[in-house]
Amino acid sequence: MDRQKGEKMVKICLAGEGGQGMTYMQTLEKMSGVEVVSLAGGLEKDTAEFAEQWNIPHHSLDLAECVDQPDVEAVILTSPSQVHVEQAELVLSKGKHLMLEIPMALDLAGSEQLVDLEKKCGLTCMVAHTRRYSPMYREIHRRLRAGELQLHHILFQTYFFRRVNINRFGKPRTWVDDLLWHHACHSVDLIYWLLDDPDMDAWGQTGPDHPELGIPMDITIGMRSDKAGCIVTGALSFNHHGPIDVSTKFIGEETTLTVNSSKSEMRDPEGELVMTDAPGEAFLNQCREFVAAIEAGRKPATSFADCLPAMKLLDRIQTAIDAGYR
């Protein structure tokens, strides 16, 4: 989208030439006042092709070189989860604002390390918890805060078929995904945000590790908020035969609402459509919040500190798993 005459242009370095990188480019091209001027990639051929496809004038496999490009003010990190902490530290050390794809880190210690950096650097530090920016989930949040919905039980499911280490384009991955700290992170953060209870109980169990990938392929999660009077049941699987299935059911005193993130729709108990998200709407809201926070010099809605309680909940689940609930 063309920017308005005299409008300030926020120049961005994007890190990651994979699926999430593509999602961000599709989103950013709808916005005025932003320009991706550099791409930091992991694979030379893929990075060059991505930069050409999206007309990004500079690309490199060296993140520091990309961040140091003239006038780069902000960085969006969509790189593999295993390098999030290291790359976030580099970006912030160079005085650049940062939006970091989830998870913040693959453990609580790394997450706390980033929160400490956020406190010291005075920059806009944001985690891409996209579900908080979805109009459907915001409507659930509104009803809860207005007293229009009293929840008894939340049930969430995340199902993929991922027995081979390939990405959404069918290309081999150079890293292994994490079902708990990545995919469950979406739902655990959503539940923390909705129930506003950082002290809720949380536990989990896993099935066997995959013999080659070395990760658990199936996880169940239990949570309980005495403050909200609500229990939570979660199921995640990389063994699911069929399309990606991501949905959350909210069973309340007044009604039951089911949000299907895969289809971007919310339905009532009779299956009637309540509302939908426009394609890419949550990502667009998220990117707008990042830019608005930079321009206003304020903390974003999903700052590192604001998202730390979700990482503490994940740590409780991991602790239960490590204690033998598998």
Side-chain angles (χ1 to χ4, degrees), residues 57-274:
H58 173 270
H59 69 272
S60 172
L61 303 189
D62 185 340
L63 176 60
E65 175 188 328
C66 294
V67 174
D68 286 337
Q69 289 302 296
D71 301 322
V72 165
E73 187 174 354
V75 177
I76 298 176
L77 280 178
T78 75
S79 46
S81 304
Q82 288 81 351
V83 297
H84 280 185
V85 174
E86 174 188 349
Q87 291 190 343
E89 287 180 330
L90 185 150
V91 170
L92 297 177
S93 72
K94 290 180 175 293
K96 311 298 181 181
H97 303 291
L98 173 63
M99 178 154 65
L100 177 61
E101 253 301 327
I102 76 160
M104 234 195 305
L106 287 172
D107 56 32
L108 180 58
S111 303
E112 291 176 333
Q113 189 174 334
L114 291 185
V115 171
D116 286 342
L117 281 175
E118 177 185 41
K119 292 176 182 178
K120 296 173 183 176
C121 71
L123 298 162
T124 296
C125 299
M126 177 170 164
V127 189
H129 280 293
T130 313
R131 293 187 196 178
R132 293 202 201 185
Y133 297 94
S134 158
M136 296 184 298
Y137 289 118
R138 285 182 172 182
E139 173 60 14
I140 298 290
H141 188 274
R142 186 199 68 76
R143 293 191 188 194
L144 289 171
R145 296 301 180 271
E148 298 172 12
L149 181 63
Q150 173 61 50
L151 290 175
H152 297 305
H153 198 167
I154 301 173
L155 300 101
F156 69 87
Q157 60 186 36
T158 300
Y159 300 146
F160 291 78
F161 189 77
R162 189 163 286 172
R163 294 180 183 171
V164 179
N165 200 28
I166 58 176
N167 64 17
R168 72 173 75 171
F169 306 118
K171 295 183 177 181
R173 267 201 170 120
T174 59
W175 55 286
V176 179
D177 206 353
D178 192 290
L179 195 54
L180 176 63
W181 287 89
H182 179 194
H183 293 284
C185 187
H186 285 287
S187 295
V188 170
D189 177 77
L190 175 69
I191 290 159
Y192 155 68
W193 176 62
L194 291 174
L195 300 183
D196 189 28
D197 185 0
D199 299 318
M200 71 181 85
D201 293 331
W203 61 94
Q205 62 178 342
T206 67
D209 287 355
H210 188 279
E212 296 174 4
L213 300 179
I215 58 170
M217 300 290 282
D218 292 275
I219 298 176
T220 61
I221 288 173
M223 303 169 72
R224 181 184 186 93
S225 171
D226 292 331
K227 174 183 175 181
C230 180
I231 63 172
V232 180
T233 303
L236 303 98
S237 179
F238 278 160
N239 280 316
H240 174 64
H241 293 267
I244 295 173
D245 184 354
V246 179
S247 62
T248 309
K249 187 180 293 289
F250 300 94
I251 299 175
E253 179 67 22
E254 300 82 1
T255 189
T256 293
L257 297 169
T258 302
V259 178
N260 189 316
S261 297
S262 304
K263 297 180 179 179
S264 296
E265 62 182 30
M266 181 195 294
R267 294 188 179 272
D268 67 12
E270 288 72 42
E272 295 297 321
L273 190 65
V274 176

Side-chain angles (χ1 to χ4, degrees), residues 42-56:
L43 298 172
E44 179 59 46
K45 182 175 182 293
D46 291 350
T47 302
E49 290 176 352
F50 190 102
E52 181 179 7
Q53 177 186 358
W54 293 101
N55 298 312
I56 302 173

